[in-house]
Amino acid sequence: MEKDNVCINCYEMLDKIAGKLGLSEPETGLLSRPRRSYTFSFPVIMDDSKVKIFTGYRIQFNNARGPTKGGIRFHPEVDLEEIKTLAFLMTLKCAVINVPFGGAKGGVVVNPKKHSKGEMERISRAYMRELYRFIGPNTDIPAPDVNTNPQVMAWMLDEYERVTGQHAPGVITGKPLELGGSHVRGISTSLGGYFVLKEVLKQFGMKEENTKAVVQGFGNAGMNIAKILHKNKFKVIAVSDSRGGIYDENGLQIEKVIEHKEDKKSVQDFANAKNIANEELLELECDVLVLAALEDQITKENAGKVKAKMILELANRPIMPEADEILASRTVPVIPDILANAGGVVVSYFEWVQNATNYYWTEDYVLKKLEEYMTKAAKELEMACSSYKCIMREGLYISAINKILQAERLRGVLK
Ligand code: GLU
């Protein structure tokens, strides 16, 4: 299948619901192959004057509903199939959340922990010099993802503007405020996840106050959701980072945990809390388990041991497909990534609109609009689940695919 540029993961995901939707062969074909795939090899001079060759990717999966949109990740394990899968999920995500974009994703095979700031700047700029011909405010708009941040976006924007010779803030989102970024973008993924959780808890007749939450991952998404949940009176009983976790059945003081993490570079050894391993954290008894680390955290081995009453997928693809089936058979509701973490792309959309109009919104207005988009999508999800009698992930896939295929039909691409 590789020679046909098929995304194998996407094909498998589609295959499962193709029957329910009655997808035709060209429809499955269109949705399981990216429209455009780029692989770049580019040399960068390191601090010791030696040259190192890096590999970068950009996948523009589908643009029926608008310019393609999606982040760029820096990670040593990035590969083409992963980027294709994530670009497919971006396509679905933008449809689910009702922003006028298609889906894309990019990545560079690099471990940022092993490079100086200067090297990271040169890598970011070199990647953009490969990419600039193929992107633009009305074609494809990158953004931050794993291990990339507003500073990386600023370098990439600057490189794009240098080589094209024009100001074009709308070519990339997640920029610092001073360069045309938007208020709230920094915490938008977590805040969006909270707004969705709030709505779903209501649908399940559950309250927020004293609801026990466990958060896996303490990067931007995990740390901010822990903070937001704590502020909204949830009892956050455990959190973890890549080194391990901490547990306090009475609830952790998250602000203090953040200070501790800044100081010690890890959440572990926090006063009055018990150190626990990541595996134990995933199996703790709680109301909501928030997965905010990396992919493939819940597997067929540990899915049967999860004791959470509900799961919020703040990271992309933290539950493996086999594990998803186990959780479904145990009726553990999962709020899927393409809705739970869509707050990032929603505020990216607001940023892009502000750049296009040169008119900048207040923080309160962005907050209000974000809540509106997230709540509306969560309500649409409830409707999709009841009309298709399925779990949330299927409901979201079905409504997203319907929207994308309808756009393709209206364009005359499909019959
Ligand atoms: N990387 C984020 C995501 O996976 C944001 C993408 C964007 O803002 O375009 O949703």
Side-chain angles (χ1 to χ4, degrees):
M1 283 214 270
E2 185 59 35
K3 75 176 185 335
D4 291 329
N5 198 23
V6 170
C7 166
I8 297 158
N9 291 330
C10 314
Y11 187 85
E12 283 168 1
M13 289 187 240
L14 287 166
D15 207 32
K16 274 202 200 136
I17 49 169
K20 261 200 170 129
L21 272 173
L23 293 183
S24 67
E25 189 131 346
E27 286 169 344
T28 321
L30 191 72
L31 292 170
S32 54
R33 288 171 170 81
R35 295 297 288 262
R36 281 179 282 275
S37 310
Y38 303 104
T39 302
F40 312 112
S41 303
F42 51 93
V44 180
I45 300 177
M46 299 288 98
D47 292 345
D48 62 4
S49 301
K50 289 197 179 118
V51 174
K52 208 171 160 202
I53 316 284
F54 289 87
T55 304
Y57 304 104
R58 183 74 181 168
I59 299 285
Q60 296 167 347
F61 207 96
N62 183 286
N63 62 359
R65 301 183 62 261
T68 51
K69 184 89 191 76
I72 296 167
R73 58 172 58 189
F74 287 170
H75 200 272
E77 261 126 55
V78 158
D79 67 40
L80 190 59
E81 176 65 17
E82 181 199 19
I83 300 292
K84 281 184 195 173
T85 311
L86 293 167
F88 167 78
L89 291 177
M90 276 310 299
T91 312
L92 301 187
K93 191 187 295 187
C94 292
V96 157
I97 205 69
N98 299 303
V99 293
F101 291 133
K105 197 73 146 203
V108 178
V109 186
V110 60
N111 184 352
K113 290 191 184 126
K114 296 209 167 135
H115 293 280
S116 66
K117 191 170 177 201
E119 288 179 348
M120 287 319 298
E121 174 173 353
R122 295 197 292 282
I123 294 165
S124 305
R125 289 183 181 278
Y127 174 71
M128 182 49 88
R129 283 197 298 279
E130 299 307 313
L131 188 64
Y132 85 94
R133 291 179 186 80
F134 312 113
I135 63 169
N138 292 310
T139 39
D140 179 20
I141 306 125
D145 199 83
V146 173
N147 289 331
T148 52
N149 56 25
Q151 176 62 78
V152 173
M153 298 305 109
W155 291 327
M156 289 190 178
L157 171 75
D158 183 65
E159 195 63 28
Y160 181 88
E161 293 185 339
R162 283 186 198 199
V163 289
T164 58
Q166 54 184 315
H167 275 287
V171 72
I172 201 158
T173 58
K175 303 179 292 290
L177 263 185
E178 296 80 355
L179 293 177
S182 176
H183 285 293
V184 191
R185 181 63 183 84
I187 59 159
S188 54
T189 306
S190 310
L191 192 57
Y194 165 67
F195 287 143
V196 170
L197 177 64
K198 191 167 144 174
E199 182 59 33
V200 176
L201 285 176
K202 224 191 279 169
Q203 292 168 12
F204 278 78
M206 285 162 77
K207 280 205 282 306
E208 288 182 53
E209 201 158 334
N210 283 327
T211 290
K212 279 193 204 162
V214 168
V215 180
Q216 187 209 22
F218 216 67
N220 181 40
M223 183 186 79
N224 282 312
I225 192 119
K227 211 161 141 182
I228 295 165
L229 293 178
H230 183 66
K231 208 173 121 202
N232 286 283
K233 310 228 161 39
F234 283 71
K235 201 191 268 186
V236 183
I237 57 167
V239 298
S240 71
D241 57 28
S242 57
R243 296 196 197 163
I246 49 171
Y247 170 71
D248 179 355
E249 60 176 349
N250 299 316
L252 295 158
Q253 290 303 315
I254 297 301
E255 299 291 345
K256 297 249 161 61
V257 177
I258 295 171
E259 279 170 24
H260 175 84
K261 162 104 185 167
E262 271 162 16
D263 191 26
K264 302 274 183 321
K265 304 283 167 267
S266 164
V267 295
Q268 287 227 303
D269 302 325
F270 180 66
N272 301 327
K274 197 176 131 208
N275 279 347
I276 52 169
N278 228 314
E279 302 78 61
E280 280 177 81
L281 175 127
L282 296 174
E283 295 166 16
L284 283 173
E285 204 143 325
C286 63
D287 297 301
V288 184
L289 170 63
V290 181
L291 300 173
L294 278 173
E295 280 111 279
D296 301 340
Q297 299 301 305
I298 307 291
T299 62
K300 62 177 189 305
E301 278 73 38
N302 63 3
K305 298 185 202 146
V306 168
K307 292 182 206 67
K309 297 204 181 86
M310 184 182 284
I311 301 181
L312 182 76
E313 284 190 323
L314 212 54
N316 285 313
R317 295 196 92 217
I319 301 180
M320 295 183 88
E322 314 88 86
D324 219 21
E325 279 169 24
I326 300 173
L327 292 170
S329 71
R330 296 181 53 219
T331 58
V332 181
V334 174
I335 311 175
D337 49 3
I338 59 169
L339 174 62
N341 69 23
V345 76
V346 170
V347 179
S348 273
Y349 166 57
F350 298 159
E351 181 175 336
W352 180 76
V353 169
Q354 294 171 71
N355 297 149
T357 53
N358 276 308
Y359 179 76
Y360 287 84
W361 303 358
T362 62
E363 187 176 347
D364 281 349
Y365 189 68
V366 179
L367 287 170
K368 183 173 138 231
K369 282 287 168 198
L370 175 63
E371 181 159 13
E372 233 171 80
Y373 270 71
M374 302 309 295
T375 312
K376 177 170 181 257
K379 288 196 166 128
E380 274 182 24
L381 163 66
E382 195 186 15
M383 270 156 48
C385 286
S386 59
S387 53
Y388 286 96
K389 304 263 167 298
C390 58
I391 58 167
M392 289 192 240
R393 194 178 317 275
E394 272 178 18
L396 289 176
Y397 278 29
I398 291 172
S399 67
I401 288 169
N402 279 336
K403 288 180 194 175
I404 298 158
L405 292 178
Q406 182 60 3
E408 295 284 20
R409 275 184 216 109
L410 288 166
R411 287 175 180 277
V413 173
L414 287 169
K415 290 278 163 263

